[in-house]
Amino acid sequence: MQQRSGRGRKAAGGKVTGKTSPPFPPASGPTSSSSSSSSSLPPPSQASLSQLLSTLSNLASENAQLTSEVEALKGCREEAKEARDRMKSFKKEYGVRFQEMKAALEAFRSKYPSADNPASSSSSSSSSKADAVAALADQVRRLQAEGRRKDEALKKYQRFYAEVRARKGGRRGTGV
């Protein structure tokens, strides 16, 4: 799409010329050729007519392009509206189904209370979770302490081994 500016007129090649005069001179009276007035205008030249026809052709093609774009956008708007309508209807249907499912679960929970059913006892499950977390934390502390003891034993062994190697290396240099 070409941009238009108010500074000049487009020539036949699509370039803006510096002229700001209208495409034809203003009429100062009747346009019939039979009337004889004191200020008769010369007929427009062939070049200006071809330029006007070219400009008209360019404008018509741009108008057709813009019209097709508007039509395409109308189709997109309609599709978007349909999608919004489908989303609203899905949301309503989902809400209804969710409420039905929730009511069915509540009825099941009240009809079949059981300790094995996690939905039937929500308060006891949180306390059992807290107990499980505490037991796991205690286990982690015990394992960390055991790991520290093993690391200390390993360091002692490594120091002892280093001493043995040093003694063995010293005997070879001074011995038999």
Side-chain angles (χ1 to χ4, degrees), residues 114-158:
S114 171
D116 296 338
N117 185 0
S120 65
S121 60
S122 60
S123 62
S124 65
S125 67
S126 63
S127 65
S128 65
K129 286 181 183 178
D131 293 340
V133 167
L136 288 174
D138 187 42
Q139 183 181 4
V140 166
R141 275 187 240 114
R142 280 186 278 123
L143 289 173
Q144 285 176 338
E146 184 180 336
R148 276 188 236 116
R149 284 191 299 265
K150 288 181 180 180
D151 285 343
E152 289 173 10
L154 181 63
K155 285 179 185 176
K156 286 180 184 176
Y157 173 75
Q158 287 174 342

Side-chain angles (χ1 to χ4, degrees), residues 15-72:
K15 296 180 182 176
V16 176
T17 63
K19 298 178 185 177
T20 57
S21 63
F24 357 0
S28 62
T31 58
S32 67
S33 60
S34 62
S35 68
S36 34
S37 68
S38 61
S39 65
S40 66
L41 298 173
S45 68
Q46 186 68 24
S48 65
L49 284 178
S50 66
Q51 182 180 2
L52 289 174
L53 287 175
S54 171
T55 303
L56 183 63
S57 173
N58 288 341
L59 289 174
S61 66
E62 287 178 13
N63 189 26
Q65 180 183 4
L66 291 173
T67 304
S68 66
E69 288 178 11
V70 166
E71 291 298 321

Side-chain angles (χ1 to χ4, degrees), residues 4 10-11 24 38 41 52 68 76 85 93 97-98 105 107-110 142 148 165 174 176:
R4 305 200 189 292
K10 286 197 178 201
F24 357 0
S38 61
L41 298 173
L52 289 174
S68 66
C76 291
D85 292 341
E93 183 181 338
R97 286 186 180 183
F98 179 75
L105 286 174
F108 181 82
R109 185 181 346 175
S110 63
R142 280 186 278 123
R148 276 188 236 116
R165 288 182 69 193
T174 59
V176 180

